[in-house]
Amino acid sequence: DLDYGRALYRYFQEDDLGAITQLMIARQRARNTNQQDEANLLLADLYYDFGLYEESREIFARLLTAEVSDSIQSRIWFNLARLRYEQGHFDHARDLLSRISEQLPKGIEAERKYMLVNLYLGNRQYDQAADLSNQISSRSIWKLYARYNMGVALAENGQYEQSKSILTKIGEINAPSTELRALRDRSNLSLGLIQLRLDLPEDALESLSRIRLEGPLSNQALLATGWAFYRLDQFDEAANPWRALIRRNAVDAATQEAIVAIPANYAKAEQNTLAVRHYEIAVKQFDLQLELLDNAVGSIENDGLISALQENALLYDSDR
C-alpha cells in the first residue's frame, strides 16, 4: 500500500515523527488497504517509542478485537508485554510473553529474550537467565544488555568474580557505535563502583580508567576515581579528578559531591587550613546556586522565562 510504504520510508530514514504523521494522514483518508493491521502496528510501535504508552495500548487493544494473522497477534502480545514490563507489572508481562506462538522477527525476538532474562534475574533464577542470554544472537545488542544486567545482578547477589568477568568483557569490547561506547562506559563504571563498595580501590581505578573523559558518564567516573585514590590515602591524586570535575557543570550531582569532597580530602590529609578554606568556597558556591535557583523560579512565576525564550527566537521563527 502506498501510504504504508511512505510511512515505512520515513521510519527507515529514522524520521519517526514523519512516519507518525504519514500514518495519521492515511487513517484520515479511510482507504481500504491490504496492510491496515501492519500500519496500525507500526503506529502503535512509534507511539511507544515516544512514550505515549496509553495511546499505544489502545491501538493494540483494538487490534486484538479484530481478525488478525497469528504473526501480528504475536507482535501484539510482545508489545503489550513490553508496555507492562516498562510499567513494572512483571508478572503480567511474563504472562503476555508466554502467549506468543509465532516466531518473531529477529530483532524483536532478541528483545523478547532480553525481557525474559531480566524477569529471571528479578526472581534470582540466575542459571535460567544465563542459559537464555546465551541464546540471544551475538549480532544483537540485546545480548550485551542482557549480559550487563546479569553482571550487575550477580554482584548484588555476592558473586563478585562472576560479575567481574562479565562486566570486564563488556568494558573491553571494541565499540564502533555510540550506543556500544555508552554501554562499555556503563559497564566499567558499574564495575568500578562495585569494587569501591568491596574496598578494592586499585581494581576500581583500573576499571574506571577505561571510561571516556568526554562521555556522558565521565563526571561520575571522575568522582569515583577521586574516591578510589582517597581510599588508598593518595590525597594529592584524589584531588586532581575532583578539581577537573568542579570546572564542569556546577549543577551536576557528581560535581556537587566533588565540591564537598575536596575539603574533606584536605581534612583527611590533616591540611586543616586548606580544608577550612575550601569548605568556605563550597558554602559560597552552594549559596550562589541557591540564588540562581531562586531567580529562575521567580522568572518562571513572572513569565520572564517565556520572554527570554521569545527574545532568543526559540519559540518563533526569526523571519516573522
Side-chain angles (χ1 to χ4, degrees):
D1 291 329
L2 182 58
D3 288 329
Y4 180 52
R6 285 172 174 162
L8 280 179
Y9 176 79
R10 297 274 191 175
Y11 175 71
F12 287 117
Q13 292 290 317
E14 298 184 355
D15 178 11
D16 290 352
L17 188 57
I20 289 176
T21 303
Q22 188 65 51
L23 290 167
M24 294 179 71
I25 291 172
R27 293 177 73 181
Q28 289 298 318
R29 289 175 178 169
R31 293 177 177 173
N32 292 323
T33 66
N34 297 321
Q35 295 173 295
Q36 188 62 52
D37 293 337
E38 289 89 339
N40 285 329
L41 192 59
L42 176 60
L43 182 59
D45 276 339
L46 290 166
Y47 279 159
Y48 174 88
D49 291 338
F50 272 93
L52 301 172
Y53 296 144
E54 187 59 29
E55 290 82 352
S56 180
R57 187 196 63 77
E58 288 176 359
I59 294 177
F60 291 136
R62 286 200 302 271
L63 283 170
L64 281 176
T65 63
E67 293 184 6
V68 296
S69 65
D70 290 342
S71 62
I72 289 180
Q73 189 173 67
S74 292
R75 287 282 304 278
I76 295 169
W77 291 134
F78 165 78
N79 280 283
L80 286 173
R82 188 169 60 163
L83 278 168
R84 302 308 284 167
Y85 180 87
E86 290 287 347
Q87 295 166 343
H89 302 292
F90 301 125
D91 290 338
H92 192 190
R94 185 183 292 104
D95 175 64
L96 290 166
L97 289 172
S98 69
R99 301 182 190 186
I100 296 174
S101 57
E102 292 289 311
Q103 181 68 30
L104 295 169
K106 289 182 179 179
I108 299 175
E109 175 63 17
E111 187 176 357
R112 182 188 73 86
K113 290 177 179 174
Y114 163 78
M115 281 196 291
L116 285 171
V117 167
N118 288 344
L119 291 170
Y120 280 134
L121 292 175
N123 288 334
R124 297 178 178 267
Q125 296 172 283
Y126 301 113
D127 292 339
Q128 293 91 326
D131 290 341
L132 189 56
S133 69
N134 290 331
Q135 296 175 29
I136 301 175
S137 171
S138 58
R139 296 181 180 180
S140 173
I141 196 168
W142 292 111
K143 186 182 187 74
L144 290 176
Y145 283 134
R147 297 296 292 171
Y148 167 78
N149 287 343
M150 174 164 286
V152 173
L154 288 173
E156 293 174 351
N157 195 49
Q159 298 172 256
Y160 168 67
E161 291 300 331
Q162 298 94 317
S163 170
K164 178 183 176 183
S165 176
I166 292 172
L167 295 177
T168 299
K169 286 180 181 177
I170 300 175
E172 293 178 342
I173 60 173
N174 180 26
S177 70
T178 301
E179 187 174 9
L180 282 173
R181 286 193 290 270
L183 180 57
R184 182 180 63 189
D185 285 349
R186 171 63 66 183
S187 296
N188 286 316
L189 179 62
S190 296
L191 181 56
L193 294 176
I194 290 167
Q195 290 163 333
L196 276 177
R197 191 165 67 241
L198 296 175
D199 199 21
L200 301 170
E202 292 180 343
D203 292 341
L205 286 173
E206 181 180 352
S207 301
L208 296 167
S209 69
R210 294 192 291 264
I211 300 174
R212 292 170 295 160
L213 285 175
E214 299 302 326
L217 299 177
S218 57
N219 284 4
Q220 296 176 57
L222 286 170
L223 178 65
T225 298
W227 285 120
F229 280 121
Y230 181 89
R231 296 277 186 88
L232 293 168
D233 292 334
Q234 298 179 22
F235 303 117
D236 290 338
E237 287 82 356
N240 290 330
W242 288 339
R243 288 196 189 98
L245 185 54
I246 62 175
R247 290 194 291 268
R248 299 188 174 194
N249 183 5
V251 298
D252 180 86
T255 306
Q256 298 279 323
E257 186 173 338
I259 291 172
V260 178
I262 288 176
N265 184 54
Y266 283 126
K268 182 75 173 180
E270 297 183 353
Q271 300 181 45
N272 295 327
T273 302
L274 284 173
V276 171
R277 186 182 305 169
H278 280 81
Y279 273 125
E280 291 173 346
I281 293 172
V283 169
K284 290 179 181 178
Q285 287 179 306
F286 289 134
D287 285 342
L288 177 60
Q289 290 171 29
L290 288 172
E291 182 180 346
L292 292 172
L293 183 60
D294 288 339
N295 291 339
V297 172
S299 178
I300 293 171
E301 291 175 345
N302 298 321
D303 293 331
L305 177 62
I306 301 300
S307 299
L309 292 174
Q310 291 174 348
E311 290 172 5
N312 287 282
L314 292 178
L315 291 181
Y316 300 100
D317 191 326
S318 58
D319 293 333
R320 293 182 181 178

